[in-house]
Amino acid sequence: EDQVTQSPEALRLQEGESSSLNCSYTVSGLRGLFWYRQDPGKGPEFLFTLYSAGEEKEKERLKATLTKKESFLHITAPKPEDSATYLCAVLNSGGYQKVTFGTGTKLQVIP
Amino acid sequence: EAQVTQNPRYLITVTGKKLTVTCSQNMNHEYMSWYRQDPGLGLRQIYYSMNVEVTDKGDVPEGYKVSRKEKRNFPLILESPSPNQTSLYFCASRGDGYQPQHFGDGTRLSIL
């Protein structure tokens, strides 16, 4: 059974204080790892897809990296508008290509 | 604009009263899914569909039904809702291959 574990559950940062969120996974044949951002009362919003170990993707203050067992979402010099819950999900290689989500990291950036 | 539309956004109802949550996507996606999101449990898949007339159970299908008669629509049916189905529900769709999912804005259901 595929599993995704995210840590920490919650993270509080001062504006400008860089940090990283972790996503550890076990999956039967990884076809893709996704990062989403979710704001209160909204559906998850797609950020990145990573397909193979060593791959990196960047968007503004966010950078996602992937190894064979985990992914990191690095947040550089965060701003209050980066406050949200960040979700990690893996796509397996089965017939349906099932997506399994972690429970998320709730990030709060204090001005 | 590419989007997944769910209705209603909020619903308060009573135990046993049948209800349907509609989901529609305008991206011609093959894959559609329903999830429920509960505190501490994350997003859990209820049902999914790989194409018209092709549906299957996800991780928590008990008490739910779905149908996929048209490619764009994927309604979620609660035939006899119970309080343990109080939750935040999301519909999602994605194209073929290793594409990310697009989510609707959610439906908050309260079953009294």
Side-chain angles (χ1 to χ4, degrees), chain A residues 2-110:
Chain A
D2 300 339
Q3 287 193 319
V4 179
T5 303
Q6 291 188 246
S7 62
E9 289 187 15
L11 182 62
R12 188 168 167 155
L13 298 174
Q14 289 294 129
E15 184 172 1
E17 179 187 1
S18 301
S19 188
S20 297
L21 313 182
N22 177 262
C23 170
S24 297
Y25 64 90
T26 56
V27 62
S28 54
L30 180 71
R31 286 294 176 258
L33 184 141
F34 307 102
W35 282 98
Y36 291 86
R37 170 193 170 122
Q38 186 176 21
D39 294 300
K42 293 280 194 176
E45 177 186 344
F46 170 70
L47 293 173
F48 302 110
T49 306
L50 301 166
Y51 294 106
S52 58
E55 190 175 0
E56 299 182 352
K57 293 270 180 76
E58 282 189 72
K59 180 180 180 180
E60 296 181 359
R61 295 176 293 282
L62 300 177
K63 179 180 177 180
T65 62
L66 181 65
T67 72
K68 289 187 177 180
K69 293 185 177 180
E70 57 191 351
S71 176
F72 292 93
L73 184 65
H74 307 279
I75 304 176
T76 302
K79 298 182 178 181
E81 53 262 42
D82 295 322
S83 298
T85 296
Y86 291 85
L87 301 173
C88 172
V90 294
L91 173 66
N92 73 13
S93 60
Y96 163 63
Q97 299 177 353
K98 181 177 168 60
V99 177
T100 302
F101 281 85
T103 53
T105 292
K106 186 173 183 178
L107 173 67
Q108 185 181 16
V109 182
I110 312 298

